[in-house]
Amino acid sequence: MATAAPRRFCRCACFCSQNLYVARYGLHLRFRDEQQLRRDYGPLLRSRGCVTPRDFQQLLEELEQEVGRRRRLGQESAARKAVIASSYHPARPEVYSSLQDAALAPEFKAAAEYSGSPGADLEGLLQRLETVSEEKRIYRVPVFSAKFCQTLLEELEHFEQSDMPKGRPNTMNNHGVLMHELGLDDPLVTPLRERFLLPLMALLYPDCGGGHLDSHRAFVVKYALGQDLELGCHYDNAELTLNVALGKDFTGGALYFGGFFQVSETHQVGPGRRECSCLNRTHPQAPEALTETLEVDHVVGHGILHRGGQLHGARPLSTGERWNLVVWLRASAVRNSLCPMCCQKPDLVDDEGFGDGFTREEPAMVDVCMLT
């Protein structure tokens, strides 16, 4: 009998030079040095308010700090995870047990069970989901029970209030929790992906790697007055995305969706290099992709399913707090040929855990009979 050996996942080297988000200018930038920054973005930066030498110097320092943070990220994340595992005392230890069916909404279980059944097809699955937009292929389904959402929120708030080290969820969100650092990847997110999302996504998005999801990046984001209030237009570093509203009481903060991100051959940056049609995720063309946006309100316990390349963002929160679990679902079979962030064949760098979902080769097969 043979079984697959553990896979080693990688990131693309572009992580330390591409898509550096600067919130006050609403831009994702590529950064290598000062000369390149002035050449590629001078007029655009001035149009966004980066006018004085002091403005530019502040931006330069901010980008250099972000590059340094990214280079240290894997090592520092592993160190945080080790400290949390050895010293943190959960308020709700039951959420660290293996995912139970009772935590899931009946509609979600039914959709996943149908998707994995013989003869299942897209038409039958769509009868079990809410189609938010047929054109944009955006769907909604209850994912977690109200009780589990409350339990998970209590644990997340307890962790937030603790003195444990905490990492940023991503470059655009400053408040929230990385699920793998908290120790919730293995018991919660991995079984959610493997047992439920994989068969469902295989029917919904077969052309986006839905049947080959082999890794993820999961994090909880928090929006509150005085903290993060909104999220600028962007696309995800993922083939597919699940976004589940966990609570609490809030108004505003609706998701909005624009057009679909496309790789364009028309914009050249240096010999043999393609640039994405939305330059580094936020570009003067972006408003054109958002002329006809679709707004979707959050419903606690419900998840929005969409393609990672769907341009989207979040409107400003008006009152209260909003917590969402976001799962970036990745298929190495798709992304190994094209990094969605730099739009090139990935320049692979070994990384911790799932990395950014790239692999160097298919997994080797190990004969377990030889080990017994």
Side-chain angles (χ1 to χ4, degrees):
M1 178 180 176
T3 186
R7 305 189 77 172
R8 180 66 185 266
F9 287 90
C10 306
R11 61 175 169 84
C12 179
C14 76
F15 178 69
C16 290
S17 62
Q18 302 266 3
N19 300 297
L20 280 70
Y21 185 62
V22 184
R24 67 182 176 281
Y25 300 132
L27 293 171
H28 284 85
L29 304 176
R30 180 179 62 255
F31 175 67
R32 297 189 183 279
D33 53 45
E34 179 179 351
Q35 183 179 7
Q36 169 267 321
L37 185 67
R38 291 184 183 277
R39 181 183 67 246
D40 291 349
Y41 300 106
L44 179 58
L45 285 167
R46 286 191 291 274
S47 73
R48 297 291 179 96
C50 184
V51 178
T52 68
R54 182 177 179 180
D55 290 337
F56 191 86
Q57 185 61 34
Q58 183 180 2
L59 172 62
L60 191 63
E61 292 174 358
E62 182 177 335
L63 292 174
E64 290 172 343
Q65 290 174 2
E66 174 62 14
V67 169
R69 186 192 71 86
R70 292 188 180 202
R71 287 174 176 163
R72 300 185 304 270
L73 186 62
Q75 182 179 0
E76 292 182 352
S77 179
R80 287 192 296 266
K81 183 177 180 180
V83 170
I84 293 167
S86 65
S87 305
Y88 176 62
H89 300 288
R92 302 302 299 264
E94 60 269 34
V95 303
Y96 296 86
S97 302
S98 183
L99 179 65
Q100 301 297 311
D101 285 1
L104 302 173
E107 298 90 336
F108 183 62
K109 290 189 292 183
E113 289 170 3
Y114 170 79
S115 299
S117 65
D121 58 20
L122 178 60
E123 182 178 355
L125 175 57
L126 292 181
Q127 295 175 9
R128 294 163 169 82
L129 305 175
E130 175 190 347
T131 299
V132 175
S133 170
E134 182 178 2
E135 175 191 2
K136 299 182 186 299
R137 301 172 69 186
I138 301 172
Y139 308 97
R140 181 181 357 228
V141 62
V143 175
F144 295 126
S145 68
K147 181 179 179 180
F148 181 78
C149 286
Q150 180 62 35
T151 301
L152 181 57
L153 264 182
E154 289 175 7
E155 176 58 27
L156 294 170
E157 289 189 295
H158 176 71
F159 175 72
E160 181 191 38
Q161 293 162 9
S162 75
D163 60 358
M164 290 292 102
K166 303 171 182 69
R168 291 170 57 183
N170 57 69
T171 58
M172 298 183 73
N173 293 99
N174 297 300
H175 301 275
V177 179
L178 290 160
M179 298 296 274
H180 77 279
E181 290 188 6
L182 189 52
L184 287 173
D185 244 3
D186 289 344
L188 175 59
V189 186
T190 294
L192 186 70
R193 168 172 56 84
E194 293 179 344
R195 290 174 50 198
F196 300 97
L197 290 170
L198 182 60
L200 195 153
M201 296 299 208
L203 284 182
L204 286 178
Y205 305 103
D207 54 326
C208 303
H212 303 278
L213 302 174
D214 54 0
S215 74
H216 61 262
R217 178 175 174 82
F219 48 92
V220 172
V221 292
K222 176 190 176 185
Y223 295 87
L225 302 182
Q227 299 182 6
D228 291 337
L229 284 178
E230 60 188 312
L231 190 64
C233 174
H234 66 286
Y235 66 93
D236 295 338
N237 184 4
E239 278 64 68
L240 301 165
T241 296
L242 167 68
N243 186 332
V244 185
L246 300 175
K248 303 165 73 175
D249 294 326
F250 58 87
T251 59
L255 290 174
Y256 64 88
F257 293 91
F260 190 77
F261 171 83
Q262 300 289 343
V263 177
S264 172
E265 300 287 351
T266 60
H267 189 85
Q268 298 293 328
V269 182
R273 179 178 175 80
R274 293 178 298 173
E275 183 57 88
C276 304
S277 61
C278 270
L279 180 59
N280 291 303
R281 306 169 78 202
T282 304
H283 184 265
Q285 294 178 6
E288 297 177 12
L290 296 172
T291 52
E292 296 184 5
T293 59
L294 169 71
E295 293 206 0
V296 182
D297 289 327
H298 298 278
V299 178
V300 173
H302 290 221
I304 301 296
L305 306 169
H306 63 86
R307 294 171 293 174
Q310 196 75 50
L311 291 167
H312 63 284
R315 300 299 186 198
L317 191 74
S318 300
T319 63
E321 289 183 15
R322 177 167 67 83
W323 295 67
N324 285 59
L325 170 64
V326 179
V327 185
W328 288 350
L329 297 159
R330 292 160 166 172
S332 60
V334 174
R335 61 181 36 229
N336 280 353
S337 61
L338 188 73
C339 171
M341 306 313 286
C342 66
C343 304
Q344 302 292 302
K345 185 172 179 59
D347 179 9
L348 298 181
V349 178
D350 288 336
D351 205 356
E352 300 293 328
F354 287 130
D356 269 347
F358 302 98
T359 56
R360 295 186 185 278
E361 56 188 13
E362 291 303 308
M365 301 302 292
V366 178
D367 189 348
V368 297
C369 295
M370 297 293 292
L371 304 177
T372 59

